[in-house]
Amino acid sequence: MSYEAPFAGLKVVDLSQGIAGPYCAMLLAQHGAEVIKVEGIGDGDWARTLGARYGSHTAFSIIGNLGKKSIAVDLKSEAGKQVVWRLLEGADVFLEGFRPGVIQRLGFGYEAVAAREPRLLYLSISGFGQSGPLSGRPAMDPVLQAYTGLMSENRGEDGIPHRVPVIVVDMSTALYAFQALSAALYARRDEPRGRYLDASLMQAATALQSIRLMACHLEGGTMKPGGAPGGVFQVADGWMSLVAINDRDWRSLCAAMAQPALAADPRFATPALRLANDTTLYTIVRPILAAEPWAVWSRRLTEAGLMHERLNSYAEFLDQPQVRESGLIQWLNQAGLEQPVPVPALPGMPAPADRTPRGTAPVTGQHTVEILAGHGYAPGEIDALLAQGVVAATG
């Protein structure tokens, strides 16, 4: 155990699929844990089929499985279940992401697993939680964006609710689950038994929106803007984000726009007045900002000390000097791809190096033979399991 690998020595068995559970387990792997990803035979984790495919990978499966080892097992066969039980011996963490009731039917519910491994931490990730009228429904990120109000609050100027294209609910679920597991691992040092942890996409989506949810409740409708002017503005050669809502910043913006009379306009003298007259304010400000290119506004607004930034595409973002010089992005080669892919460095952890275990996402069943051998299976037993279709290996 060290700051570089605080979870070194921990064994994790990951039966989760998609992105919320796998990304949580990936974080455990990046923090030093040994993570065994148990997948079905064939395509494996269904995240490997989302979006554009590159051999056995998609962008989802790469990000969700860096640093893990993969074993492909027929979980519906009795022999396959016995393999999983062998993997669970001595495990510290178990993750599953099936709909409520499925893991129990497979024979790996919490009570059954805890009976054999009493100090194990057991994490279930689901869409709506383990109980309630919607618990049995299939659910992914867009469903919970709709259900929890996120889409309704994310309206464009056209008034139409929009889905956030980044899978913010899945990713936040993974982060909240990782936080819960990390705290439980710390507490377990002084506890005689492990515990059951329940994390749902519904919980995470709601927690992520805590402030806006509360504000809308208190204000009896949609949350009022924090101030004006603020938002996205068109410039001569693109778009930029700008915030200038307190009095000092408002005066600085007026100076940057070469509009001293605007700073003295009584309609905009205070934050409350600017917000009350925001339609008139934006009618004045938007054409001024649209008349000059980004380079001009960046220079003026930087000199004024105002919060602003150009709206970049991902390609433009990756090419930014700040991104390059801070080491934010690691370019890692992966199986099935002809070029390295950009992987963000995790806060507080050393960046994974190319072609190392931490920097590599396995293909389905890549480590099947290695994992079985490491759990006491003799070569002849491994050959028999492969021949019978109980497990499968790649490469």
Side-chain angles (χ1 to χ4, degrees):
M1 187 181 296
S2 64
Y3 288 128
E4 288 72 29
F7 290 155
L10 293 179
K11 179 182 178 182
V12 178
V13 178
D14 177 19
L15 261 70
S16 65
Q17 301 182 73
I19 195 63
Y23 192 84
C24 174
M26 182 277 293
L27 292 174
L28 294 170
Q30 293 301 307
H31 286 75
E34 175 195 10
V35 179
I36 299 171
K37 182 175 182 64
V38 181
E39 307 187 63
I41 294 174
D43 284 333
D45 182 347
W46 53 263
R48 298 185 185 276
T49 68
L50 290 175
R53 297 187 66 171
Y54 308 93
S56 184
H57 272 314
T58 66
F60 294 87
S61 67
I62 292 172
I63 291 297
N65 294 301
L66 289 166
K68 301 179 186 179
K69 294 180 179 180
S70 171
I71 179 172
V73 182
D74 178 7
L75 286 174
K76 295 181 180 179
S77 70
E78 187 57 36
K81 293 176 182 178
Q82 291 306 312
V83 169
V84 175
W85 281 121
R86 183 80 68 92
L87 301 181
L88 282 167
E89 293 178 2
D92 298 283
V93 176
F94 177 77
L95 295 92
E96 66 90 10
F98 298 99
R99 272 188 272 174
V102 173
I103 195 68
Q104 286 80 8
R105 291 195 293 272
L106 288 172
F108 298 100
Y110 174 67
E111 297 300 331
V113 174
R116 298 198 190 195
E117 298 294 332
R119 283 185 52 76
L120 178 138
L121 297 175
Y122 187 114
L123 172 66
S124 290
I125 292 181
S126 61
F128 289 97
Q130 299 297 311
S131 62
L134 300 183
S135 60
R137 280 180 51 180
M140 294 174 65
D141 188 287
V143 174
L144 273 304
Q145 286 196 34
Y147 184 72
T148 61
L150 178 56
M151 284 188 189
S152 290
E153 288 298 305
N154 187 41
R155 294 176 184 266
E157 293 186 358
D158 54 8
I160 298 173
H162 293 279
R163 173 193 171 212
V164 178
V166 177
I167 49 171
V168 62
V169 175
D170 272 316
M171 297 297 275
S172 60
T173 303
L175 293 172
Y176 282 120
F178 175 73
Q179 163 262 314
L181 274 175
S182 299
L185 284 166
Y186 185 80
R188 194 184 65 155
R189 301 175 310 162
D190 299 323
E191 292 284 352
R193 295 181 59 84
R195 63 164 298 192
Y196 177 80
L197 296 165
D198 175 22
S200 72
L201 274 65
M202 183 176 69
Q203 285 178 313
T206 308
L208 193 67
Q209 300 175 79
S210 298
I211 294 173
R212 194 170 188 88
L213 176 69
M214 182 183 295
C216 287
H217 171 74
L218 293 173
E219 295 172 24
T222 299
M223 179 180 179
K224 297 179 178 61
V232 175
F233 299 87
Q234 190 166 15
V235 296
D237 56 352
W239 300 84
M240 72 173 178
S241 175
L242 170 66
V243 179
I245 58 179
N246 64 42
D247 289 334
R248 185 196 69 81
D249 287 350
W250 167 243
R251 290 191 295 270
S252 296
L253 176 61
C254 292
M257 296 188 301
Q259 299 289 323
L262 199 56
D265 192 317
R267 294 174 297 175
F268 313 125
T270 67
L273 286 170
R274 289 192 292 276
L275 192 56
N277 297 299
D278 61 348
T279 300
T280 303
L281 176 63
Y282 287 125
T283 300
I284 297 169
V285 169
R286 289 189 186 281
I288 296 172
L289 295 177
E292 299 288 353
W294 159 250
V296 170
W297 289 121
S298 181
R299 175 178 55 79
R300 292 184 186 176
L301 298 175
T302 298
E303 291 173 353
L306 294 174
M307 291 183 286
H308 71 287
E309 192 47 74
R310 175 187 176 186
L311 271 63
N312 290 318
S313 67
Y314 282 142
E316 291 166 334
F317 169 68
L318 291 173
D319 195 44
Q320 292 295 307
Q322 179 66 26
V323 173
R324 293 197 303 270
E325 294 178 21
S326 65
L328 173 62
I329 299 295
Q330 306 303 305
W331 292 89
L332 306 178
N333 287 281
Q334 304 295 326
L337 285 87
E338 297 180 355
Q339 59 178 323
V341 292
V343 176
L346 295 173
M349 291 300 298
D354 189 28
R355 302 184 192 278
T356 64
R358 280 186 66 226
T360 303
V363 299
T364 308
Q366 179 175 337
H367 302 97
T368 295
V369 173
E370 175 190 335
I371 292 169
L372 291 174
H375 286 78
Y377 285 92
E381 293 176 300
I382 296 173
D383 290 340
L385 290 171
L386 289 166
Q388 296 162 9
V390 175
V391 299
T394 303

